[in-house]
Amino acid sequence: MRHIFIIGSKGIPGAYGGYETFVDKLTEYHQGLAQLKYHVACKGRERKIFTYHNARCFMVKVPNIGAAQAVYYDVAALNNCCNYIKQHNINNAVIYILACRIGPFAPYFQRRIHKLGGTLYTNPDGHEFLRAKWSAPVRKYWKYSEQMMVKHSDLLICDNTNIEKYIREEYGKYSPKTIFISYGSDVKPSKLSSSDTGYISWNTKFNITPGHYYLIVGRFVPENNFETMIREFMKSKSTKDLVIITTANNSFLNQLEKRLHFQNDKRIKFVGTVYDQELLKKIRENAYGYLHGHEVGGTNPSLLEAMGSTNLNLLLNVNFNLEVGQDAAMYWSKENNNLANLIDYADCLTYEEASVFGAKAKDRIRKAYSWEYIAQSYEQLFLSN
């Protein structure tokens, strides 16, 4: 039996971030494998241990120390893992860290893990140091942390080949060992019917007509290019709505209103968050099109989920999105009028033309991004090294 310790997600079950969904799906698909035993760190307010998907889940108590919580959480979880490995005489364990938050501590923990006969794997995620929300000193920390995690990891598992290429080129002096295994998704339809009372109530609340809206789903941060998407949609001739499912950020919202005056456009609808995954899938299925403006990071979960559900996907033309979408999507740039013109073009497609894009998108998910395929790739990795 190979023991796999996963650190860096908020935990399972119940959280719906990208890493949380990844860990949930990985343990779900591997729960019947006698050769693999998962140990998953979960962020919480108490110290307890429970079993989920046959994985041993251990809670790590994290004090309320602001932005430093994430670093504290990973370090505390690593200590917990190392102590458990030593206490139970586990050999050849894998400690898999999601994201590059604790680079300054990486040399110490790599030495400690090696002394215990284990190996340290890292998923470098995207370019955290480029995110606009961070101050210059914090960005500098993220970049340094990434450098140290790359230098002191035995393997870097990249969810996008462009991230893998970046790691190899940026940190070639360390001769990093890398592998590409993407994030996953599915093409299963929502369990909700069109007559579901919860779904109808949601549409009624926001005055939304199924099939008559473009959709955006993602964190409300500048690097996801909300400003460009809203401005260009306002310039388009579309009679459809723009439905925006996103996190609260009143400061950014006020900035955009001052610049765009989008509240004067009745088509623009901020509808808050949707954590019910079946409802969210139903909303995606009934969107006319999906707009995706993410440009910082690797393979984005919300993009995969849209391609598994929505016929028309209009993606920002950056290499991460091109790798995923290929010829199953349409692409826009941040140039003036580019997206507005694409929306006007998309509005004129026939149902058959839009369905061709939808079929290609679903086929892309089935062949390269299904959870079955991703789980098999990890099984092969964990049992071969």
Side-chain angles (χ1 to χ4, degrees), residues 335-354:
E335 290 180 14
N336 193 33
N337 294 322
N338 185 275
L339 177 55
N341 291 336
L342 184 61
I343 291 168
D344 290 338
Y345 171 79
D347 268 359
C348 295
L349 293 176
T350 64
Y351 175 79
E352 289 74 19
E353 289 169 331

Side-chain angles (χ1 to χ4, degrees), residues 59-104:
M59 303 287 281
V60 177
K61 192 174 181 180
V62 181
N64 188 7
I65 51 175
Q69 281 189 56
V71 174
Y72 179 98
Y73 172 48
D74 284 2
V75 170
L78 267 170
N79 271 318
N80 186 306
C81 292
C82 290
N83 291 338
Y84 186 90
I85 291 168
K86 185 175 182 180
Q87 182 182 348
H88 292 84
N89 296 312
I90 296 171
N91 191 41
N92 201 28
V94 170
I95 292 185
Y96 186 20
I97 303 177
L98 307 175
C100 295
R101 288 181 286 262
I102 55 166

Side-chain angles (χ1 to χ4, degrees), residues 263-294:
Q263 290 179 2
N264 296 330
D265 190 329
K266 300 301 181 186
R267 298 174 299 169
I268 311 298
K269 296 181 177 180
F270 281 86
V271 299
T273 52
V274 176
Y275 289 115
D276 181 327
Q277 296 302 291
E278 293 303 321
L279 174 58
L280 184 56
K281 184 174 280 191
K282 192 70 178 177
I283 294 166
R284 283 192 173 104
E285 288 171 1
N286 284 324
Y288 180 79
Y290 180 80
L291 303 184
H292 189 73
H294 292 52

Side-chain angles (χ1 to χ4, degrees), residues 9-151:
S9 77
K10 292 182 179 69
I12 51 174
Y16 294 114
Y19 277 143
E20 290 72 38
T21 302
F22 161 68
V23 178
D24 197 311
K25 290 295 185 181
L26 188 66
T27 54
E28 176 189 343
Y29 280 93
H30 287 176
Q31 61 186 319
L33 291 176
Q35 309 100 306
L36 293 176
K37 178 63 179 179
Y38 283 94
H39 307 258
V40 180
C42 303
K43 187 179 180 182
R45 296 181 178 178
E46 55 183 319
R47 293 185 179 91
K48 68 174 184 178
I49 298 170
F50 61 95
T51 301
Y52 176 75
H53 286 162
N54 205 30
R56 172 184 162 269
C57 302
F58 59 97
M59 303 287 281
V60 177
K61 192 174 181 180
V62 181
N64 188 7
I65 51 175
Q69 281 189 56
V71 174
Y72 179 98
Y73 172 48
D74 284 2
V75 170
L78 267 170
N79 271 318
N80 186 306
C81 292
C82 290
N83 291 338
Y84 186 90
I85 291 168
K86 185 175 182 180
Q87 182 182 348
H88 292 84
N89 296 312
I90 296 171
N91 191 41
N92 201 28
V94 170
I95 292 185
Y96 186 20
I97 303 177
L98 307 175
C100 295
R101 288 181 286 262
I102 55 166
F105 305 91
Y108 163 76
F109 277 108
Q110 187 186 40
R111 288 194 303 270
R112 189 173 170 188
I113 291 164
H114 285 177
K115 282 183 181 179
L116 293 167
T119 50
L120 175 61
Y121 292 0
T122 298
N123 187 310
D125 197 17
H127 299 319
E128 190 68 30
F129 62 92
L130 291 179
R131 296 195 187 278
K133 67 176 180 178
W134 300 123
S135 64
V138 174
R139 289 188 193 186
K140 192 173 181 179
Y141 171 83
W142 282 122
K143 182 63 177 172
Y144 174 71
S145 186
E146 177 185 86
Q147 176 187 342
M148 296 302 286
M149 291 295 286
V150 170
K151 183 178 180 180

Side-chain angles (χ1 to χ4, degrees), residues 157-181:
I157 303 173
C158 307
D159 68 15
N160 191 287
T161 59
N162 290 288
I163 291 289
E164 184 178 29
K165 181 182 177 184
Y166 160 77
I167 292 291
R168 288 180 170 177
E169 291 178 353
E170 182 76 4
Y171 302 109
K173 62 183 177 182
Y174 302 133
S175 300
K177 185 180 179 184
T178 65
I179 189 173
F180 163 65
I181 304 178

